């Protein structure tokens, strides 16, 4: 029992000042009567008025009598037993597993609590990353791959559904590796006055000195053309295998055995090995699952993490480009090859020829100019004498049989490079002579201005329409100079000029081939920092379209839908972003396209399991993006997307990805008794050994189902107080009336 005060205005000073003022006024009002009247009754009237004033002042303090009362209510004792894989460790006394010790302690503890009171409910759960009912006769062994102690403590309280939780008994090795931090959860339970009794099992030294090989990372592709070598590299964790040899295999879907094998010796003191040099050349197009596998070794703690998979998109067809650069320094190779590499359907090889050929001996192989070896040739700053006459002849023949050729400008190109009178000069679109010279623009550079026919040509079309394309060309940085051309040949077309001088000239009736002549170099467009990326994008588009045009591929193809996944491997509960795009035959985006996407789980044979799960797709510019959260079981999944435009199907695309779950439980099997002790201390519980639990719970008294409720009784806000106050004022008035003071 206690008394509490809540003064008006929450201020004692205000009440005291008001009391002084009221008392002073009361005394001042009674003073004349008290001095002019005799008899003891006058002091009685004054006393009654003072008593009424004191009651008012007492009420202004708003006093309350607080009485504590014990009450019964339904309460619960919740048992949580760790169901994760680390509980299978046999590091307890006599080689017993952590699970068997914890389970025995739980079963005995339940018996000691059940029946103690009809108001006490006993609940038992097994947990890993989620809760599940615990049954004493359930033979299921712990297999959980994650221990989320903090999240499960809070979820268990939530599952009580309003029932007061008297205590939580946590039986675990304390190796928490998921969800909310356990100590954060403990702080929340302390605020709710829920103690946690922890029972620790297992050894903190478990797994010390253990051995484990694990495939940690795999990069494959992600795209490559048929019969080309993709980039494949990976990382192997080698804990405990220092100075030993390990064997790594590369497996490819559809192949009967490993396509590549390599042995590595783990350096002394190292715990990882970088895997490179695994060679695989795909012979057929399609999406292929690629698996990096390290052979298991004796003494490994875990064998399920010895392989990792990803996917490689093998593209059919594709264009092969040979870019031959002369000896003079230029930024062109760097930026040109970067732009061509960005085009999935183009594979470019760069050769830098720094010395002239000697007779029939050059730095290049004649096989590079064999028919069908390359689809397009690019000559940049290359003097004629750096190729043999045989190679120049082979190049001309290859172009006439259908290959494409573009010669770029430079101080060793065209007439300045000695190309006049060569067999190649016969197929170039402009007349050239040794005296053509250079166009030297000075510091302001040379602006490339497309002709009207050039803007309508596929090569120079840098935007969906002619007007927008002209604006893009106007924004491009000037080039540093140009070779001066002679007269364009009759069958040629001038695509761009510098003032009145032809700067880019094309011709498409060179036998079956096509040729372009560009008097300058294109790298200033890609290198410019003043156009907010316009030049870089235009440079990449120009070169892609130039190669396609030279290879007669500008009008081939059909509308298609492409699907891109931001990752081909995601862990459980991780988000995977899907991006869908659609392009017409000219590779222009289809702006009004809409998409439907689904994700389906696949079995070991690649067959769908269950119903497809829809994924919402949201438009973002010319693309559409959709998020997918991998909440299903680990394994292989497939995304299917269908594109539609104006009610007509554009096409479909598919891609597979892997959902995996880390074996964190087994990779670090050490128990963490210190964490369990901290949880108990923060919540006001106790950290016990398994054999101490039953005795502790038997000591639970009535307080487990009782709680103290505090009742407030207001001493000023009730009818007796009001009657006393009114009685004092009435008696005082009646006395004054009888004595003639009223």
């Amino acid at each position: 029992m206690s008394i509490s005060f809540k003064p008006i205005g929450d201020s004692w000073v205000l009440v005291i000042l008001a009391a002084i003022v009221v008392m002073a006024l009361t005394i001042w009002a009674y003073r004349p009567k008290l001095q002019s009247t005799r008899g003891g009754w006058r002091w009685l009237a004054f006393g009654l008025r003072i008593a009424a004033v004191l009651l008012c002042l007492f009420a202004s303090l708003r006093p309350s009598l607080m009485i504590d009362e014990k009450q019964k209510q339904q309460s619960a004792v919740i048992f949580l037993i760790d169901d994760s894989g680390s509980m299978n460790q046999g590091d307890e006394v006599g080689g017993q597993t952590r699970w068997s010790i914890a389970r025995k302690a739980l079963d005995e503890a339940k018996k000691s609590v059940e029946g103690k009171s009809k108001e006490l409910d006993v609940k038992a759960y097994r947990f890993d990353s989620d809760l599940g009912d615990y049954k004493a006769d359930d033979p299921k062994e712990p297999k959980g791959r994650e221990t989320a102690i903090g999240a499960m403590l809070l979820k268990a309280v939530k599952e009580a559904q309003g029932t007061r939780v008297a205590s939580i008994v946590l039986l675990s090795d304390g190796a928490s590796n998921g969800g909310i931090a356990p100590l954060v959860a403990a702080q929340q339970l302390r605020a709710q006055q829920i103690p946690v009794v922890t029972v620790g099992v297992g050894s903190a030294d478990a797994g010390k000195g253990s051995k484990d090989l694990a495939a940690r990372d795999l990069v494959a592709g992600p795209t490559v053309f048929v019969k080309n070598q993709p980039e494949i590299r990976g990382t192997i964790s080698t804990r405990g295998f220092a100075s030993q040899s390990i064997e790594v295999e590369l497996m490819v879907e559809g192949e009967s055995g490993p396509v590549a094998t390599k042995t590595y010796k783990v350096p002394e003191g190292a715990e990882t090995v970088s895997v490179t040099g695994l060679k695989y050349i795909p012979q057929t197009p399609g999406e292929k699952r690629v698996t990096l596998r390290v052979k298991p070794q004796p003494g490994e703690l875990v064998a399920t993490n010895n392989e990792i998979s990803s996917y490689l998109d093998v593209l059919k067809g594709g264009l092969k480009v040979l870019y031959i650069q002369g000896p003079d320094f230029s930024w062109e190779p760097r930026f040109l090859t970067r732009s061509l590499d960005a085009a999935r359907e183009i594979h470019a090889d760069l050769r830098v020829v720094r010395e002239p050929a000697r007779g029939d001996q050059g730095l290049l192989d004649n096989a590079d100019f064999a028919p069908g070896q390359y689809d397009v040739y690019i000559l940049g700053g290359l003097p004629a004498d750096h190729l043999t006459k045989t190679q120049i002849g082979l190049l001309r023949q290859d172009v006439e049989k259908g290959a494409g050729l573009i010669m770029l400008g430079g101080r060793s190109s065209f007439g300045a490079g000695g190309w006049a009178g060569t067999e190649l000069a016969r197929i170039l679109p402009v007349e050239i002579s040794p005296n053509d010279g250079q166009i030297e623009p000075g510091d302001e550079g040379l602006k490339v201005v497309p002709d009207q026919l050039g803007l309508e040509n596929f090569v120079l079309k840098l935007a969906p329409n002619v007007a927008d394309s002209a604006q893009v060309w106007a924004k491009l940085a000037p080039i540093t100079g140009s070779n001066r051309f002679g007269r364009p040949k009759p069958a040629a077309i001038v695509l761009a000029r510098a003032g009145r001088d032809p700067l880019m000239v094309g011709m498409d009736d060179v036998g079956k081939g096509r040729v372009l002549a560009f008097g300058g170099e294109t790298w200033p467009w890609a290198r410019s920092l003043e156009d907010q990326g316009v030049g870089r994008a235009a440079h990449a588009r120009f070169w892609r379209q130039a190669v396609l045009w030279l290879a007669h591929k500008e009008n081939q193809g059909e509308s298609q839908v492409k699907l891109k996944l931001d990752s081909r491997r995601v862990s459980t509960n991780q988000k995977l972003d899907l991006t869908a795009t659609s392009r017409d035959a000219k590779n222009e985006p289809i702006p009004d396209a809409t998409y439907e996407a689904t994700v389906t789980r696949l079995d070991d044979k690649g067959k769908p399991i269950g119903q497809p799960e829809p994924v919402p797709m949201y438009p973002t510019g010319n693309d559409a993006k959709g998020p997918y959260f991998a909440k299903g079981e680990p394994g292989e999944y497939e995304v299917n997307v269908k594109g539609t435009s104006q009610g007509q199907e554009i096409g479909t695309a598919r891609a597979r990805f892997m959902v995996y779950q880390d074996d964190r439980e087994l990779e670090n099997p050490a128990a963490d008794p210190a964490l369990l002790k901290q949880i108990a201390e923060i919540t006001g519980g106790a950290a016990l050994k398994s054999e101490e639990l039953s005795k502790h719970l038997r000591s639970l008294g009535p307080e487990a189902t009782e709680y103290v409720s505090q009742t407030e009784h207001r001493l000023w806000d009730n009818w007796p107080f009001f009657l006393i106050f009114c009685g004092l004022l009435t008696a005082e008035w009646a006395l004054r009336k009888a004595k003639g003071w009223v």
Side-chain angles (χ1 to χ4, degrees):
M1 180 185 299
S2 60
I3 296 179
S4 69
F5 295 92
K6 297 179 182 178
I8 293 175
D10 293 325
S11 173
W12 283 87
V13 175
L14 180 64
V15 173
I16 292 172
L17 291 175
I20 294 173
V21 172
V22 171
M23 291 295 292
L25 290 174
T26 301
I27 295 172
W28 178 79
Y30 262 83
R31 183 179 178 185
K33 295 292 185 182
L34 292 173
Q35 291 177 345
S36 62
T37 307
R38 295 181 180 275
W41 65 268
R42 57 184 179 145
W43 294 108
L44 177 61
F46 177 69
L48 291 172
R49 174 58 66 93
I50 291 297
V53 170
L54 290 175
L55 280 180
C56 288
L57 295 176
F58 182 71
S60 68
L61 295 176
R62 296 189 292 189
S64 295
L65 186 63
M66 311 299 293
I67 300 176
D68 294 337
E69 299 177 354
K70 288 186 177 181
Q71 297 186 11
K72 289 277 188 180
Q73 78 167 24
Q74 188 70 29
S75 300
V77 174
I78 299 176
F79 290 90
L80 295 177
I81 184 168
D82 194 338
D83 190 35
S84 61
S86 62
M87 294 292 285
N88 285 315
Q89 291 292 317
D91 56 353
E92 281 289 343
V93 179
Q96 298 180 82
T97 64
R98 301 173 184 179
W99 173 254
S100 62
I101 295 296
R103 186 171 182 174
K104 181 180 178 181
L106 172 56
D107 292 340
E108 292 177 356
K110 280 186 64 181
K111 292 177 182 178
S112 66
V113 176
E114 289 173 338
K116 286 184 72 72
S117 172
K118 63 180 180 179
E119 285 87 14
L120 188 61
D121 188 18
V122 178
K123 301 177 183 293
Y125 301 101
R126 56 198 300 165
F127 76 93
D128 44 34
S129 59
D130 202 357
L131 287 183
D133 291 332
Y134 171 82
K135 297 179 181 179
D137 57 352
D138 189 351
K140 186 175 68 172
E141 294 293 321
K143 295 182 179 179
R145 296 191 176 186
E146 182 178 82
T147 306
I149 290 178
M152 294 305 103
L153 286 171
L154 299 180
K155 186 172 183 179
V157 174
K158 187 177 180 180
E159 289 290 321
Q161 296 180 343
T163 302
R164 174 178 171 268
V165 178
S167 179
I168 296 177
V169 179
L170 174 65
L171 300 100
S172 171
D173 56 15
S176 185
N177 49 39
I180 186 174
L183 298 185
V184 173
Q187 296 284 355
Q188 297 183 30
L189 294 178
R190 181 179 68 176
Q192 300 176 52
Q193 298 183 348
I194 300 176
V196 179
V197 176
T198 61
V199 178
V201 292
S203 170
D205 293 329
K208 193 173 183 180
S210 62
K211 296 182 176 182
D212 185 43
L213 293 174
R216 289 294 180 212
D217 188 32
L218 172 61
V219 175
T223 61
V224 68
F225 287 104
V226 171
K227 299 183 180 180
N228 282 323
Q229 170 70 47
E231 178 187 18
I232 297 176
R233 65 179 188 273
T235 303
I236 304 295
S237 172
T238 59
R239 189 177 73 233
F241 287 92
S243 302
Q244 299 184 39
S245 295
I246 60 172
E247 190 172 350
V248 179
E249 299 175 331
L250 182 66
M251 320 287 291
V252 177
E253 182 179 25
E255 303 290 343
S256 58
V259 298
T261 303
K262 197 169 183 179
T263 300
Y264 294 88
K265 185 173 182 179
V266 182
E268 182 67 33
E271 290 200 353
T272 60
V273 167
S274 296
V275 177
T276 58
L278 293 175
K279 294 184 178 181
Y280 162 63
I281 299 179
Q283 301 298 312
T284 58
E287 182 186 61
K288 300 182 184 295
R289 185 173 66 247
V290 180
T291 301
L292 184 67
R293 178 176 180 267
V294 55
K295 282 190 174 182
Q297 298 290 324
E300 271 199 77
L301 182 65
V302 187
T304 56
N305 58 5
N306 284 46
E307 61 182 47
I308 185 174
S309 297
S310 188
Y311 295 88
L312 177 67
D313 289 325
V314 182
L315 308 177
K316 63 182 178 181
L319 298 176
K320 295 188 67 176
V321 176
L322 179 60
Y323 175 20
I324 307 174
Q325 176 66 34
D328 295 338
F329 172 79
S330 172
W331 290 104
E332 191 72 3
R334 174 180 177 181
F335 291 98
L336 194 156
T337 53
R338 180 187 295 175
S339 290
L340 291 182
D341 286 342
R344 287 178 34 149
E345 66 271 60
I346 299 173
H347 174 78
D349 291 331
L350 173 64
R351 306 273 199 276
V352 178
V353 183
R354 303 188 184 281
E355 298 177 2
R358 293 183 176 86
D360 271 347
Q361 295 296 319
L363 295 182
L364 298 183
D365 196 322
N366 290 350
D368 290 332
F369 303 95
Q373 181 68 19
Y374 288 98
D375 300 286
V376 174
Y377 295 89
I378 301 173
L379 306 183
L382 181 71
D385 62 2
H386 281 49
L387 298 181
T388 67
K389 291 184 178 180
T390 300
Q391 290 170 348
I392 294 174
L394 290 173
L395 178 56
R396 178 188 63 80
Q397 293 174 23
D398 201 11
V399 172
E400 291 176 340
K401 290 178 180 179
L405 168 69
I406 178 172
M407 182 178 285
L408 299 177
R411 298 194 179 277
S412 299
S413 292
F414 296 103
W419 287 99
T422 65
E423 287 193 55
L424 205 63
R426 291 166 48 188
I427 62 172
L428 289 176
V430 293
E431 300 289 347
I432 59 176
S433 71
N435 300 318
D436 286 337
Q438 305 280 332
I439 302 175
E440 303 287 355
D443 294 339
E444 70 277 7
L446 199 64
K447 194 70 175 176
V448 179
V449 181
D451 275 14
Q452 184 62 33
L453 289 177
L455 288 172
E456 296 174 357
N457 188 279
F458 177 76
V459 176
L460 302 190
K461 189 177 180 182
L462 300 184
N465 56 64
V466 171
D468 290 344
S469 187
Q471 292 181 6
V472 174
W473 280 103
K475 294 179 181 178
L476 296 185
I479 62 176
T480 57
S482 171
N483 291 82
R484 193 178 300 279
F485 289 157
R487 183 175 65 250
K489 293 181 180 178
I493 178 175
V494 177
L495 300 177
R497 298 177 184 271
R500 294 184 178 182
D501 295 311
L503 191 57
M504 185 183 300
V505 183
M507 192 163 62
D508 65 359
D509 61 350
V510 183
K512 295 181 179 180
R514 287 175 170 174
V515 293
L516 281 172
F518 181 57
E521 293 180 323
T522 62
W523 61 264
W525 305 338
R527 199 183 181 200
S528 175
L529 302 177
E530 300 176 357
D531 56 10
Q532 299 180 338
V534 173
R536 181 173 297 180
H539 185 265
R541 181 163 181 170
F542 165 79
W543 273 110
R544 177 183 179 275
Q545 293 176 176
V547 169
L548 290 176
W549 183 83
L550 288 168
H552 294 81
K553 299 290 186 182
E554 78 279 12
N555 290 318
Q556 295 188 19
E558 55 186 14
S559 298
Q560 56 183 323
V561 172
K562 295 182 180 179
L563 175 63
K564 181 181 179 182
L565 310 183
D566 70 335
S567 176
R568 304 303 288 268
R569 281 177 50 82
V570 293
S571 63
T572 52
N573 297 316
Q574 184 180 350
K575 186 180 75 167
L576 174 69
D577 286 324
L578 322 178
T579 303
T581 60
S582 57
R583 296 289 189 268
D584 59 19
K586 297 284 189 180
N587 201 46
E588 297 291 343
I590 302 175
D592 60 349
T594 58
Y595 305 91
E596 297 177 8
T598 58
V599 173
T600 308
R601 188 183 174 199
L602 305 178
D603 63 16
D604 293 339
K605 297 181 180 180
K607 302 296 183 182
I609 304 175
Q611 295 297 318
E613 183 179 352
V615 179
M617 301 295 289
Y618 305 100
T620 56
N622 292 324
D623 303 335
K625 295 183 180 294
Y628 172 74
F629 292 90
K631 296 181 179 179
E633 293 292 322
E636 189 174 42
Y637 288 74
E638 181 179 77
V639 182
N640 284 278
V641 63
K642 180 176 73 173
T644 306
S645 176
Q646 299 180 0
Q648 299 295 319
E649 182 177 321
I650 305 169
T652 61
R654 60 181 288 275
R656 290 177 292 168
F657 64 94
M658 299 292 296
V659 175
Y660 69 94
Q661 191 163 28
D662 291 335
D663 285 321
R664 288 174 284 181
E665 284 294 314
L666 301 183
E667 290 173 0
N668 183 17
D672 191 352
L675 174 64
L676 298 177
K677 185 178 180 180
Q678 285 181 286
I679 293 173
E681 290 176 348
I682 290 174
T683 60
L688 306 175
K689 297 179 180 179
S690 58
E691 60 270 19
E692 298 173 338
L693 179 59
S694 294
K695 181 179 179 181
H696 174 82
L697 294 178
R698 280 195 294 269
S699 66
L700 285 176
E703 65 275 4
T705 57
E706 292 178 349
Y707 73 99
V708 176
S709 169
Q710 204 170 53
T711 305
E712 179 183 7
H713 298 277
R714 294 182 177 180
L715 300 179
W716 58 278
D717 187 13
N718 52 66
W719 63 267
F721 182 90
F722 180 71
L723 288 179
I724 293 172
F725 178 74
C726 291
L728 290 172
L729 290 180
T730 301
E732 187 264 351
W733 181 85
L735 183 59
R736 288 192 297 117
K737 178 72 174 177
K739 299 300 182 177
W741 281 12
V742 177

